[in-house]
Amino acid sequence: MGRLRLALAQTNPVLGDLAANSRQILDAARQAAAQGADLMITGEMAVTGYPIEDLAQRPSFLVASLDATRTLAKQLLDEGLGDLVVIVGHPDGPHEPRLLGTSNAPTAIAHNSASVLQHGHIKATYAKHHLPNYSVFDEYRIFIPGDELLVARVNGIDVAIVICEDLWRDGGPVSRVLEADAGVLAVLNGSPFERDKDEVRLPLATRRAIETDTIVAYVNLVGGQDDLVFDGDSVVVDGHGTILARAPQFREHVLVVDVDAADATDTDLPDNVRRIDLTTRNHPKPDLAPDVAELPDDREQLWNALVLGLRDYVKKNRFASVALGLSGGIDSAVCAVLAADAIGAEHVYAVSMPSRYSSDHSRSDADDLAERVGIHYTTEPIADLVMPFENELGLTGLASENLQARVRGVILMGLSNMNGHLVLTTGNKTELAVGYSTIYGDSVGGFAPIKDVPKTLVWELARWRNEFAASRGEIEPIPENSISKPPSAELSPGQVDQDSLPPYDVLDAILDAYVGQKLGAEDVVQLGFDRATVDEVTRLVDRAEWKRRQGAIGPKISGMAFGRDRRLPVTYRPTRNI
Protein backbone atom coordinates (compact mmCIF):
# COMPACT_ATOMS: atom_id res chain seq x y z
CA MET A 1 0.00 0.00 0.00
CA GLY A 2 1.12 3.52 -0.73
CA ARG A 3 -0.07 6.80 0.75
CA LEU A 4 -1.24 9.78 -1.28
CA ARG A 5 -2.39 13.09 0.09
CA LEU A 6 -5.33 14.29 -1.98
CA ALA A 7 -6.85 17.76 -2.13
CA LEU A 8 -10.35 18.29 -3.53
CA ALA A 9 -10.81 21.93 -4.58
CA GLN A 10 -14.49 22.85 -4.28
CA THR A 11 -14.48 26.17 -6.19
CA ASN A 12 -17.23 28.58 -7.25
CA PRO A 13 -16.43 29.75 -10.80
CA VAL A 14 -18.09 32.60 -12.67
CA LEU A 15 -18.90 31.33 -16.13
CA GLY A 16 -16.56 32.90 -18.65
CA ASP A 17 -14.36 34.78 -16.15
CA LEU A 18 -11.29 32.72 -16.95
CA ALA A 19 -8.85 34.91 -15.05
CA ALA A 20 -10.90 34.97 -11.83
CA ASN A 21 -11.62 31.23 -12.04
CA SER A 22 -7.91 30.52 -12.50
CA ARG A 23 -7.14 32.65 -9.45
CA GLN A 24 -9.58 30.55 -7.45
CA ILE A 25 -7.84 27.37 -8.54
CA LEU A 26 -4.43 28.88 -7.86
CA ASP A 27 -5.51 29.92 -4.36
CA ALA A 28 -6.86 26.43 -3.72
CA ALA A 29 -3.52 25.00 -4.90
CA ARG A 30 -1.69 27.20 -2.39
CA GLN A 31 -3.89 25.83 0.37
CA ALA A 32 -3.42 22.27 -0.85
CA ALA A 33 0.37 22.63 -1.08
CA ALA A 34 0.54 24.22 2.37
CA GLN A 35 -1.12 21.08 3.71
CA GLY A 36 1.32 18.81 1.89
CA ALA A 37 -0.95 17.58 -0.89
CA ASP A 38 0.53 15.50 -3.70
CA LEU A 39 -2.47 15.80 -5.99
CA MET A 40 -5.30 18.34 -6.28
CA ILE A 41 -8.55 17.78 -8.21
CA THR A 42 -11.02 20.47 -9.26
CA GLY A 43 -14.64 20.23 -10.33
CA GLU A 44 -15.93 19.83 -13.88
CA MET A 45 -15.18 22.86 -16.08
CA ALA A 46 -13.67 24.73 -13.13
CA VAL A 47 -11.61 26.90 -15.50
CA THR A 48 -14.67 28.24 -17.34
CA GLY A 49 -17.67 27.54 -15.14
CA TYR A 50 -20.41 25.07 -16.00
CA PRO A 51 -22.56 24.44 -17.98
CA ILE A 52 -21.12 26.38 -20.92
CA GLU A 53 -24.07 25.51 -23.18
CA ASP A 54 -23.56 26.71 -26.77
CA LEU A 55 -20.31 28.47 -25.90
CA ALA A 56 -18.95 25.00 -26.62
CA GLN A 57 -19.61 25.78 -30.28
CA ARG A 58 -17.72 29.10 -30.27
CA PRO A 59 -14.10 28.54 -31.39
CA SER A 60 -12.82 31.75 -29.77
CA PHE A 61 -14.20 30.68 -26.40
CA LEU A 62 -12.55 27.28 -26.67
CA VAL A 63 -9.21 28.78 -27.66
CA ALA A 64 -9.35 31.20 -24.73
CA SER A 65 -10.26 28.38 -22.33
CA LEU A 66 -7.38 26.20 -23.43
CA ASP A 67 -5.01 29.19 -23.26
CA ALA A 68 -6.21 29.86 -19.70
CA THR A 69 -5.52 26.25 -18.76
CA ARG A 70 -1.99 26.44 -20.17
CA THR A 71 -1.46 29.76 -18.38
CA LEU A 72 -2.68 28.22 -15.13
CA ALA A 73 -0.03 25.51 -15.43
CA LYS A 74 2.64 28.20 -15.81
CA GLN A 75 1.22 30.23 -12.91
CA LEU A 76 1.44 27.18 -10.68
CA LEU A 77 5.09 26.81 -11.62
CA ASP A 78 5.80 30.52 -11.06
CA GLU A 79 4.20 30.30 -7.61
CA GLY A 80 6.50 27.45 -6.64
CA LEU A 81 3.64 24.97 -6.94
CA GLY A 82 4.80 23.27 -10.11
CA ASP A 83 5.49 20.01 -8.32
CA LEU A 84 1.86 19.67 -7.25
CA VAL A 85 -0.15 17.52 -9.66
CA VAL A 86 -3.38 19.36 -10.52
CA ILE A 87 -6.26 17.77 -12.41
CA VAL A 88 -8.41 20.60 -13.72
CA GLY A 89 -11.69 20.64 -15.65
CA HIS A 90 -12.07 22.73 -18.83
CA PRO A 91 -13.43 22.55 -22.39
CA ASP A 92 -10.91 21.49 -25.00
CA GLY A 93 -11.02 22.51 -28.65
CA PRO A 94 -11.77 23.52 -31.27
CA HIS A 95 -11.53 20.15 -32.99
CA GLU A 96 -12.73 19.17 -36.40
CA PRO A 97 -16.46 18.39 -36.26
CA ARG A 98 -16.98 14.67 -36.36
CA LEU A 99 -19.79 12.19 -35.97
CA LEU A 100 -18.94 9.13 -33.87
CA GLY A 101 -21.64 6.59 -34.60
CA THR A 102 -24.85 8.16 -33.32
CA SER A 103 -23.33 9.63 -30.19
CA ASN A 104 -23.26 13.34 -30.94
CA ALA A 105 -24.10 16.06 -33.42
CA PRO A 106 -21.75 16.57 -36.35
CA THR A 107 -21.35 20.26 -35.46
CA ALA A 108 -19.69 19.56 -32.08
CA ILE A 109 -16.11 20.87 -31.93
CA ALA A 110 -15.27 20.53 -28.22
CA HIS A 111 -14.45 17.96 -25.58
CA ASN A 112 -15.56 18.24 -21.97
CA SER A 113 -12.10 17.63 -20.58
CA ALA A 114 -9.84 17.21 -17.58
CA SER A 115 -6.17 18.02 -17.94
CA VAL A 116 -3.29 16.96 -15.73
CA LEU A 117 -0.98 19.90 -14.95
CA GLN A 118 2.53 19.68 -13.52
CA HIS A 119 5.83 21.54 -13.85
CA GLY A 120 4.24 24.28 -15.95
CA HIS A 121 2.72 22.03 -18.62
CA ILE A 122 -0.39 20.10 -19.56
CA LYS A 123 0.86 16.53 -19.24
CA ALA A 124 -2.24 14.79 -20.61
CA THR A 125 -5.94 15.40 -21.22
CA TYR A 126 -8.97 13.18 -20.70
CA ALA A 127 -12.27 13.68 -22.57
CA LYS A 128 -15.62 12.87 -20.99
CA HIS A 129 -17.17 9.76 -22.53
CA HIS A 130 -20.83 9.83 -21.53
CA LEU A 131 -22.61 13.04 -22.50
CA PRO A 132 -25.89 13.56 -20.60
CA ASN A 133 -28.94 14.56 -22.58
CA TYR A 134 -31.66 14.72 -19.92
CA SER A 135 -33.01 17.14 -17.32
CA VAL A 136 -30.98 20.38 -17.58
CA PHE A 137 -28.16 18.78 -19.57
CA ASP A 138 -27.70 19.11 -23.31
CA GLU A 139 -24.15 17.85 -23.79
CA TYR A 140 -25.14 15.27 -26.38
CA ARG A 141 -25.22 17.91 -29.13
CA ILE A 142 -22.36 20.21 -28.07
CA PHE A 143 -19.47 17.88 -27.17
CA ILE A 144 -17.50 15.16 -28.88
CA PRO A 145 -17.30 12.10 -26.60
CA GLY A 146 -13.96 10.68 -25.58
CA ASP A 147 -13.03 7.02 -25.93
CA GLU A 148 -9.85 6.65 -23.85
CA LEU A 149 -9.36 6.24 -20.10
CA LEU A 150 -6.51 8.26 -18.63
CA VAL A 151 -4.49 6.97 -15.67
CA ALA A 152 -1.96 9.24 -13.95
CA ARG A 153 0.65 7.37 -11.91
CA VAL A 154 1.50 9.68 -9.01
CA ASN A 155 4.23 8.56 -6.61
CA GLY A 156 3.62 4.93 -7.47
CA ILE A 157 -0.19 5.04 -7.19
CA ASP A 158 -2.38 4.89 -10.28
CA VAL A 159 -5.12 7.52 -10.38
CA ALA A 160 -7.82 6.97 -13.01
CA ILE A 161 -9.70 10.08 -14.17
CA VAL A 162 -13.36 10.35 -15.20
CA ILE A 163 -15.88 13.19 -15.43
CA CYS A 164 -19.31 13.26 -13.78
CA GLU A 165 -21.69 11.26 -16.02
CA ASP A 166 -18.92 8.73 -16.67
CA LEU A 167 -19.38 7.61 -13.06
CA TRP A 168 -23.15 7.23 -13.40
CA ARG A 169 -23.13 4.99 -16.46
CA ASP A 170 -22.28 1.32 -16.40
CA GLY A 171 -19.64 0.37 -18.94
CA GLY A 172 -17.41 2.94 -20.58
CA PRO A 173 -14.36 4.21 -18.72
CA VAL A 174 -15.48 2.99 -15.27
CA SER A 175 -15.51 -0.60 -16.53
CA ARG A 176 -11.82 -0.24 -17.42
CA VAL A 177 -10.71 1.15 -14.05
CA LEU A 178 -10.60 -2.27 -12.40
CA GLU A 179 -8.82 -3.76 -15.44
CA ALA A 180 -6.25 -0.97 -15.26
CA ASP A 181 -5.67 -1.86 -11.57
CA ALA A 182 -5.93 1.77 -10.45
CA GLY A 183 -5.81 2.64 -6.77
CA VAL A 184 -7.73 5.93 -6.89
CA LEU A 185 -10.61 7.08 -9.07
CA ALA A 186 -10.70 10.88 -9.44
CA VAL A 187 -14.14 12.14 -10.48
CA LEU A 188 -14.61 15.76 -11.60
CA ASN A 189 -18.24 16.84 -11.26
CA GLY A 190 -20.67 19.61 -12.08
CA SER A 191 -23.62 18.02 -10.27
CA PRO A 192 -26.47 20.45 -9.50
CA PHE A 193 -28.31 20.30 -6.21
CA GLU A 194 -31.70 18.66 -6.01
CA ARG A 195 -33.71 17.74 -2.96
CA ASP A 196 -32.62 14.29 -1.72
CA LYS A 197 -29.99 13.97 -4.45
CA ASP A 198 -27.44 12.93 -1.84
CA GLU A 199 -29.51 9.78 -1.34
CA VAL A 200 -28.48 8.82 -4.89
CA ARG A 201 -25.09 10.51 -5.28
CA LEU A 202 -23.30 9.10 -2.22
CA PRO A 203 -24.50 5.51 -2.72
CA LEU A 204 -23.31 5.73 -6.33
CA ALA A 205 -19.81 6.85 -5.29
CA THR A 206 -19.76 4.10 -2.67
CA ARG A 207 -20.90 1.45 -5.13
CA ARG A 208 -18.28 2.48 -7.68
CA ALA A 209 -15.56 2.40 -5.02
CA ILE A 210 -16.50 -1.17 -4.17
CA GLU A 211 -16.96 -2.26 -7.81
CA THR A 212 -13.64 -0.83 -8.96
CA ASP A 213 -11.76 -1.62 -5.74
CA THR A 214 -10.52 1.96 -5.64
CA ILE A 215 -10.73 5.01 -3.45
CA VAL A 216 -13.22 7.33 -5.12
CA ALA A 217 -12.41 11.04 -4.82
CA TYR A 218 -15.58 12.83 -5.92
CA VAL A 219 -15.16 16.61 -6.23
CA ASN A 220 -18.07 18.87 -7.11
CA LEU A 221 -18.46 22.53 -8.01
CA VAL A 222 -20.21 24.91 -5.65
CA GLY A 223 -22.24 28.05 -6.41
CA GLY A 224 -25.13 29.36 -8.45
CA GLN A 225 -25.17 29.50 -12.23
CA ASP A 226 -28.40 30.96 -13.60
CA ASP A 227 -31.10 28.53 -12.39
CA LEU A 228 -28.67 25.84 -11.20
CA VAL A 229 -27.13 25.57 -7.76
CA PHE A 230 -24.05 23.41 -7.24
CA ASP A 231 -23.84 22.29 -3.65
CA GLY A 232 -20.27 21.02 -3.34
CA ASP A 233 -20.55 18.10 -0.90
CA SER A 234 -17.33 16.61 -2.28
CA VAL A 235 -16.48 13.28 -0.74
CA VAL A 236 -13.77 10.61 -0.56
CA VAL A 237 -14.91 6.99 -0.14
CA ASP A 238 -12.68 3.93 0.20
CA GLY A 239 -13.11 0.49 -1.34
CA HIS A 240 -15.12 -0.70 1.67
CA GLY A 241 -17.61 2.14 1.31
CA THR A 242 -16.27 4.12 4.27
CA ILE A 243 -16.37 7.92 4.04
CA LEU A 244 -12.81 9.15 4.59
CA ALA A 245 -13.50 12.88 4.14
CA ARG A 246 -16.40 15.12 3.17
CA ALA A 247 -16.58 18.80 2.31
CA PRO A 248 -19.38 21.10 3.52
CA GLN A 249 -22.28 22.00 1.29
CA PHE A 250 -22.80 25.36 -0.37
CA ARG A 251 -19.41 26.95 0.26
CA GLU A 252 -15.94 26.89 -1.22
CA HIS A 253 -13.59 24.50 0.50
CA VAL A 254 -10.32 22.64 -0.02
CA LEU A 255 -10.75 19.12 1.35
CA VAL A 256 -7.43 17.44 2.12
CA VAL A 257 -7.17 13.77 3.09
CA ASP A 258 -4.58 10.99 3.23
CA VAL A 259 -5.54 7.84 1.36
CA ASP A 260 -3.85 4.46 1.55
CA ALA A 261 -4.19 3.03 -1.92
CA ALA A 262 -2.91 -0.03 -3.71
CA ASP A 263 0.54 0.32 -5.22
CA ALA A 264 0.64 0.57 -8.99
CA THR A 265 1.42 -2.59 -10.93
CA ASP A 266 2.76 -3.12 -14.41
CA THR A 267 -0.27 -5.07 -15.51
CA ASP A 268 -1.01 -4.92 -19.20
CA LEU A 269 -3.38 -2.06 -19.92
CA PRO A 270 -6.68 -2.80 -21.65
CA ASP A 271 -7.51 -1.19 -24.94
CA ASN A 272 -8.16 2.55 -24.89
CA VAL A 273 -6.29 3.15 -21.63
CA ARG A 274 -3.41 5.61 -21.51
CA ARG A 275 -1.05 5.98 -18.55
CA ILE A 276 1.36 8.79 -17.70
CA ASP A 277 4.06 8.68 -15.03
CA LEU A 278 4.42 11.58 -12.60
CA THR A 279 6.40 12.03 -9.40
CA THR A 280 6.44 14.70 -6.73
CA ARG A 281 9.28 15.57 -4.40
CA ASN A 282 9.19 14.51 -0.78
CA HIS A 283 8.00 17.47 1.23
CA PRO A 284 6.77 18.01 4.78
CA LYS A 285 3.26 16.79 5.42
CA PRO A 286 1.66 18.44 8.43
CA ASP A 287 -0.76 16.35 10.45
CA LEU A 288 -4.32 16.44 9.20
CA ALA A 289 -7.37 16.80 11.39
CA PRO A 290 -10.38 14.68 10.37
CA ASP A 291 -12.50 16.62 7.88
CA VAL A 292 -15.91 14.97 7.56
CA ALA A 293 -18.67 17.53 7.31
CA GLU A 294 -22.18 16.57 8.41
CA LEU A 295 -25.17 17.31 6.21
CA PRO A 296 -27.77 19.60 7.77
CA ASP A 297 -31.40 18.53 7.77
CA ASP A 298 -33.51 18.68 4.64
CA ARG A 299 -35.09 22.09 5.25
CA GLU A 300 -31.78 23.74 6.02
CA GLN A 301 -30.27 22.30 2.85
CA LEU A 302 -33.16 23.66 0.80
CA TRP A 303 -32.89 27.09 2.41
CA ASN A 304 -29.14 27.18 1.86
CA ALA A 305 -29.58 26.22 -1.80
CA LEU A 306 -32.08 29.04 -2.35
CA VAL A 307 -29.85 31.55 -0.56
CA LEU A 308 -26.77 30.57 -2.56
CA GLY A 309 -28.65 30.59 -5.86
CA LEU A 310 -29.96 34.09 -5.17
CA ARG A 311 -26.65 35.43 -3.82
CA ASP A 312 -24.62 34.24 -6.79
CA TYR A 313 -27.16 35.47 -9.35
CA VAL A 314 -27.02 38.92 -7.77
CA LYS A 315 -23.25 39.05 -7.37
CA LYS A 316 -22.22 37.34 -10.59
CA ASN A 317 -24.48 39.66 -12.58
CA ARG A 318 -23.10 42.64 -10.65
CA PHE A 319 -26.25 43.92 -9.02
CA ALA A 320 -25.72 45.92 -5.84
CA SER A 321 -29.23 45.48 -4.46
CA VAL A 322 -32.63 43.87 -4.94
CA ALA A 323 -36.18 45.18 -4.75
CA LEU A 324 -39.43 43.33 -4.20
CA GLY A 325 -43.05 43.94 -3.38
CA LEU A 326 -43.81 43.13 0.25
CA SER A 327 -47.49 42.30 0.66
CA GLY A 328 -47.57 40.85 4.14
CA GLY A 329 -48.20 37.39 2.69
CA ILE A 330 -46.07 34.30 3.08
CA ASP A 331 -44.42 34.27 -0.36
CA SER A 332 -43.03 37.80 -0.30
CA ALA A 333 -42.05 37.35 3.35
CA VAL A 334 -39.96 34.28 2.56
CA CYS A 335 -38.39 35.98 -0.46
CA ALA A 336 -37.46 39.04 1.61
CA VAL A 337 -35.76 36.92 4.28
CA LEU A 338 -33.98 34.84 1.64
CA ALA A 339 -32.69 38.05 0.08
CA ALA A 340 -31.51 39.41 3.44
CA ASP A 341 -29.72 36.14 4.19
CA ALA A 342 -28.18 36.12 0.71
CA ILE A 343 -26.85 39.67 0.31
CA GLY A 344 -27.49 41.44 3.61
CA ALA A 345 -30.57 43.34 4.76
CA GLU A 346 -28.94 46.66 3.86
CA HIS A 347 -29.10 45.70 0.17
CA VAL A 348 -32.79 44.71 0.16
CA TYR A 349 -35.46 47.29 -0.77
CA ALA A 350 -39.05 46.28 -0.07
CA VAL A 351 -42.08 48.20 -1.25
CA SER A 352 -45.58 47.90 0.19
CA MET A 353 -48.12 48.77 -2.51
CA PRO A 354 -51.54 48.64 -0.89
CA SER A 355 -54.70 48.89 -2.96
CA ARG A 356 -58.16 49.81 -1.76
CA TYR A 357 -58.70 46.09 -1.08
CA SER A 358 -55.58 45.58 1.04
CA SER A 359 -56.37 44.54 4.59
CA ASP A 360 -54.97 46.31 7.61
CA HIS A 361 -53.15 43.15 8.71
CA SER A 362 -51.40 42.84 5.35
CA ARG A 363 -49.91 46.28 5.78
CA SER A 364 -49.00 45.71 9.42
CA ASP A 365 -47.49 42.28 8.66
CA ALA A 366 -45.30 43.82 5.96
CA ASP A 367 -44.29 46.62 8.35
CA ASP A 368 -43.50 44.05 11.04
CA LEU A 369 -41.30 41.90 8.79
CA ALA A 370 -39.35 44.88 7.49
CA GLU A 371 -38.60 45.96 11.04
CA ARG A 372 -37.64 42.44 12.19
CA VAL A 373 -35.26 41.89 9.28
CA GLY A 374 -33.94 45.44 8.98
CA ILE A 375 -34.51 45.87 5.25
CA HIS A 376 -35.26 49.18 3.51
CA TYR A 377 -39.00 49.71 3.38
CA THR A 378 -41.30 52.21 1.68
CA THR A 379 -45.02 52.40 0.99
CA GLU A 380 -46.45 53.35 -2.40
CA PRO A 381 -50.28 53.19 -2.45
CA ILE A 382 -51.66 52.26 -5.87
CA ALA A 383 -55.33 53.29 -5.68
CA ASP A 384 -54.80 56.69 -7.29
CA LEU A 385 -52.69 55.12 -10.05
CA VAL A 386 -55.19 52.38 -10.80
CA MET A 387 -58.31 54.57 -10.94
CA PRO A 388 -57.47 56.55 -14.13
CA PHE A 389 -56.92 53.34 -16.08
CA GLU A 390 -60.14 51.81 -14.77
CA ASN A 391 -62.13 54.92 -15.61
CA GLU A 392 -60.57 55.49 -19.01
CA LEU A 393 -60.86 51.87 -20.16
CA GLY A 394 -63.94 50.86 -18.17
CA LEU A 395 -62.12 47.92 -16.60
CA THR A 396 -63.95 45.70 -14.13
CA GLY A 397 -63.63 42.17 -12.75
CA LEU A 398 -60.53 40.20 -13.70
CA ALA A 399 -59.25 42.99 -15.94
CA SER A 400 -59.33 45.36 -12.96
CA GLU A 401 -57.62 42.79 -10.70
CA ASN A 402 -54.85 42.28 -13.22
CA LEU A 403 -54.46 46.03 -13.64
CA GLN A 404 -53.62 46.36 -9.94
CA ALA A 405 -50.87 43.77 -10.26
CA ARG A 406 -49.51 45.47 -13.38
CA VAL A 407 -49.39 48.88 -11.72
CA ARG A 408 -47.34 47.31 -8.94
CA GLY A 409 -45.03 45.85 -11.56
CA VAL A 410 -44.59 49.29 -13.12
CA ILE A 411 -43.64 50.74 -9.73
CA LEU A 412 -41.04 48.06 -9.07
CA MET A 413 -39.51 48.32 -12.51
CA GLY A 414 -39.43 52.10 -12.28
CA LEU A 415 -37.52 51.88 -8.99
CA SER A 416 -35.27 49.29 -10.59
CA ASN A 417 -34.46 51.59 -13.50
CA MET A 418 -33.82 54.54 -11.18
CA ASN A 419 -31.68 52.73 -8.63
CA GLY A 420 -30.25 49.68 -10.38
CA HIS A 421 -32.09 47.13 -8.21
CA LEU A 422 -32.66 43.59 -9.42
CA VAL A 423 -36.41 43.04 -9.03
CA LEU A 424 -37.35 39.75 -7.40
CA THR A 425 -40.62 38.15 -8.38
CA THR A 426 -42.14 36.30 -5.46
CA GLY A 427 -44.34 33.65 -7.08
CA ASN A 428 -44.06 30.04 -5.92
CA LYS A 429 -44.09 26.85 -7.96
CA THR A 430 -47.74 26.08 -7.27
CA GLU A 431 -48.87 29.47 -8.58
CA LEU A 432 -46.66 29.15 -11.63
CA ALA A 433 -48.04 25.69 -12.30
CA VAL A 434 -51.69 26.74 -12.44
CA GLY A 435 -51.10 30.20 -13.87
CA TYR A 436 -52.13 32.13 -10.76
CA SER A 437 -50.00 35.12 -11.55
CA THR A 438 -50.50 38.23 -13.66
CA ILE A 439 -48.25 38.41 -16.66
CA TYR A 440 -46.38 41.76 -16.59
CA GLY A 441 -47.72 42.21 -13.07
CA ASP A 442 -46.67 40.15 -10.06
CA SER A 443 -44.63 38.04 -12.49
CA VAL A 444 -42.40 41.02 -13.28
CA GLY A 445 -38.77 40.72 -12.25
CA GLY A 446 -35.39 39.31 -13.14
CA PHE A 447 -35.10 36.46 -10.64
CA ALA A 448 -37.65 34.25 -8.87
CA PRO A 449 -36.19 32.93 -5.58
CA ILE A 450 -39.02 30.46 -4.84
CA LYS A 451 -39.92 29.51 -8.40
CA ASP A 452 -39.27 25.83 -7.66
CA VAL A 453 -40.81 25.82 -4.18
CA PRO A 454 -44.40 24.50 -3.89
CA LYS A 455 -46.75 26.48 -1.66
CA THR A 456 -46.82 23.88 1.11
CA LEU A 457 -43.01 23.88 1.18
CA VAL A 458 -42.97 27.70 1.37
CA TRP A 459 -44.82 27.44 4.67
CA GLU A 460 -42.52 24.67 5.86
CA LEU A 461 -39.42 26.72 5.08
CA ALA A 462 -40.87 29.78 6.78
CA ARG A 463 -41.47 27.82 9.97
CA TRP A 464 -37.97 26.33 9.78
CA ARG A 465 -36.37 29.76 9.33
CA ASN A 466 -38.16 31.05 12.42
CA GLU A 467 -37.16 27.96 14.39
CA PHE A 468 -33.57 28.41 13.26
CA ALA A 469 -33.56 32.02 14.40
CA ALA A 470 -35.07 31.11 17.77
CA SER A 471 -32.45 28.39 18.29
CA ARG A 472 -29.76 31.06 17.91
CA GLY A 473 -31.44 33.53 20.23
CA GLU A 474 -32.40 35.80 17.32
CA ILE A 475 -35.65 37.49 16.42
CA GLU A 476 -37.89 35.28 14.31
CA PRO A 477 -37.89 37.10 10.96
CA ILE A 478 -41.33 36.10 9.64
CA PRO A 479 -44.43 37.31 11.50
CA GLU A 480 -46.63 34.45 12.63
CA ASN A 481 -49.64 36.06 11.00
CA SER A 482 -47.95 35.89 7.59
CA ILE A 483 -47.63 32.14 8.08
CA SER A 484 -51.01 31.36 9.59
CA LYS A 485 -53.47 33.57 7.67
CA PRO A 486 -55.23 32.27 4.53
CA PRO A 487 -53.25 33.34 1.45
CA SER A 488 -54.84 35.96 -0.78
CA ALA A 489 -53.83 38.23 -3.64
CA GLU A 490 -56.29 40.80 -2.20
CA LEU A 491 -57.34 42.05 -5.61
CA SER A 492 -61.04 42.06 -4.76
CA PRO A 493 -63.07 42.27 -1.54
CA GLY A 494 -62.62 39.28 0.78
CA GLN A 495 -60.66 37.30 -1.82
CA VAL A 496 -58.70 34.18 -0.73
CA ASP A 497 -56.85 31.68 -2.90
CA GLN A 498 -59.05 28.74 -1.90
CA ASP A 499 -62.07 30.41 -3.48
CA SER A 500 -60.91 29.03 -6.82
CA LEU A 501 -58.26 26.42 -5.99
CA PRO A 502 -58.29 23.11 -4.11
CA PRO A 503 -56.66 23.03 -0.68
CA TYR A 504 -52.93 23.52 -1.17
CA ASP A 505 -51.97 20.13 0.24
CA VAL A 506 -54.23 18.46 -2.34
CA LEU A 507 -53.17 20.80 -5.13
CA ASP A 508 -49.45 20.25 -4.49
CA ALA A 509 -49.93 16.49 -4.40
CA ILE A 510 -51.71 16.55 -7.77
CA LEU A 511 -49.04 18.81 -9.24
CA ASP A 512 -46.28 16.54 -7.98
CA ALA A 513 -47.89 13.62 -9.80
CA TYR A 514 -48.71 15.51 -13.02
CA VAL A 515 -45.59 17.67 -13.27
CA GLY A 516 -42.98 16.01 -11.04
CA GLN A 517 -43.75 12.39 -11.92
CA LYS A 518 -44.91 13.16 -15.50
CA LEU A 519 -48.13 11.19 -15.09
CA GLY A 520 -51.09 11.72 -17.37
CA ALA A 521 -54.37 13.01 -15.94
CA GLU A 522 -55.98 9.56 -15.91
CA ASP A 523 -52.98 8.13 -14.08
CA VAL A 524 -53.28 10.89 -11.47
CA VAL A 525 -56.95 10.01 -10.96
CA GLN A 526 -55.95 6.40 -10.38
CA LEU A 527 -53.86 7.57 -7.42
CA GLY A 528 -57.13 8.40 -5.67
CA PHE A 529 -57.73 12.06 -6.52
CA ASP A 530 -61.11 13.44 -7.50
CA ARG A 531 -61.52 13.34 -11.27
CA ALA A 532 -63.09 16.76 -11.63
CA THR A 533 -60.34 18.32 -9.51
CA VAL A 534 -57.61 16.59 -11.52
CA ASP A 535 -59.19 17.64 -14.81
CA GLU A 536 -59.37 21.26 -13.71
CA VAL A 537 -55.83 21.36 -12.30
CA THR A 538 -54.24 19.73 -15.34
CA ARG A 539 -56.20 22.06 -17.62
CA LEU A 540 -54.82 25.05 -15.71
CA VAL A 541 -51.28 23.69 -15.90
CA ASP A 542 -51.45 23.14 -19.65
CA ARG A 543 -53.00 26.56 -20.31
CA ALA A 544 -50.33 28.38 -18.27
CA GLU A 545 -47.35 27.20 -20.32
CA TRP A 546 -47.23 30.48 -22.24
CA LYS A 547 -46.86 32.43 -19.00
CA ARG A 548 -44.08 30.22 -17.72
CA ARG A 549 -42.14 30.68 -20.95
CA GLN A 550 -41.96 34.41 -20.19
CA GLY A 551 -41.15 34.13 -16.51
CA ALA A 552 -37.93 34.86 -14.66
CA ILE A 553 -35.52 32.08 -13.84
CA GLY A 554 -35.06 30.87 -10.27
CA PRO A 555 -33.00 28.28 -8.40
CA LYS A 556 -33.79 24.66 -9.20
CA ILE A 557 -34.16 22.50 -6.09
CA SER A 558 -36.34 19.66 -7.38
CA GLY A 559 -35.93 16.91 -9.93
CA MET A 560 -38.52 18.55 -12.19
CA ALA A 561 -38.37 22.32 -12.21
CA PHE A 562 -40.17 24.56 -14.68
CA GLY A 563 -37.68 25.58 -17.36
CA ARG A 564 -35.01 23.38 -18.88
CA ASP A 565 -36.28 20.31 -17.02
CA ARG A 566 -39.74 20.43 -18.56
CA ARG A 567 -40.13 21.30 -22.24
CA LEU A 568 -43.71 21.23 -23.43
CA PRO A 569 -45.51 23.03 -26.27
CA VAL A 570 -47.38 26.26 -25.67
CA THR A 571 -49.97 25.43 -28.32
CA TYR A 572 -51.54 22.18 -27.13
CA ARG A 573 -55.14 21.00 -27.37
CA PRO A 574 -55.41 17.31 -26.46
CA THR A 575 -58.43 15.47 -27.82
CA ARG A 576 -58.92 14.10 -24.32
CA ASN A 577 -57.38 14.73 -20.94
CA ILE A 578 -54.10 12.81 -21.16
Side-chain angles (χ1 to χ4, degrees), residues 431-502:
E431 292 173 348
L432 292 172
V434 295
Y436 271 52
S437 63
T438 301
I439 196 76
Y440 323 124
D442 55 317
S443 64
V444 77
F447 196 73
I450 57 172
K451 179 178 182 176
D452 198 27
V453 184
K455 186 74 170 189
T456 50
L457 183 55
V458 175
W459 277 309
E460 190 177 343
L461 290 176
R463 294 188 183 97
W464 172 84
R465 184 60 181 85
N466 278 357
E467 293 167 4
F468 180 75
S471 72
R472 295 159 61 95
E474 300 169 354
I475 296 173
E476 296 181 359
I478 301 175
E480 176 57 33
N481 198 46
S482 292
I483 299 174
S484 59
K485 67 185 177 184
S488 170
E490 294 192 325
L491 298 175
S492 61
Q495 183 184 59
V496 295
D497 291 0
Q498 288 342 147
D499 290 340
S500 54
L501 289 174

Side-chain angles (χ1 to χ4, degrees), residues 214-287:
T214 62
I215 293 166
V216 170
Y218 179 104
V219 57
N220 194 21
L221 298 174
V222 69
Q225 170 57 36
D226 292 344
D227 54 342
L228 302 182
V229 181
F230 299 97
D231 59 318
D233 195 23
S234 303
V235 68
V236 180
V237 182
D238 71 14
H240 302 290
T242 303
I243 296 175
L244 302 180
R246 189 172 198 169
Q249 281 186 314
F250 305 114
R251 64 183 176 90
E252 295 173 72
H253 187 76
V254 178
L255 182 68
V256 182
V257 60
D258 286 325
V259 299
D260 294 317
D263 291 323
T265 64
D266 290 325
T267 182
D268 290 337
L269 295 177
D271 292 339
N272 293 331
V273 177
R274 179 188 177 196
R275 185 167 59 213
I276 59 172
D277 223 332
L278 307 170
T279 57
T280 65
R281 294 189 298 271
N282 289 326
H283 47 269
K285 293 187 182 296
D287 292 337

Side-chain angles (χ1 to χ4, degrees), residues 364-434:
S364 61
D365 292 340
D367 295 347
D368 188 10
L369 183 139
E371 185 175 350
R372 289 171 185 239
V373 180
I375 57 180
H376 300 278
Y377 180 65
T378 57
T379 300
E380 300 288 347
I382 67 169
D384 290 345
L385 299 174
V386 170
M387 190 176 299
F389 283 97
E390 287 183 329
N391 293 339
E392 179 69 22
L393 300 175
L395 301 180
T396 60
L398 181 61
S400 176
E401 293 181 20
N402 287 342
L403 173 63
Q404 295 170 59
R406 290 184 178 123
V407 167
R408 288 173 172 140
V410 168
I411 291 172
L412 289 173
M413 291 310 300
L415 294 173
S416 170
N417 292 158
M418 282 290 293
N419 302 299
H421 307 312
L422 168 67
V423 174
L424 303 181
T425 179
T426 60
N428 62 65
K429 188 174 187 176
T430 305
E431 292 173 348
L432 292 172
V434 295

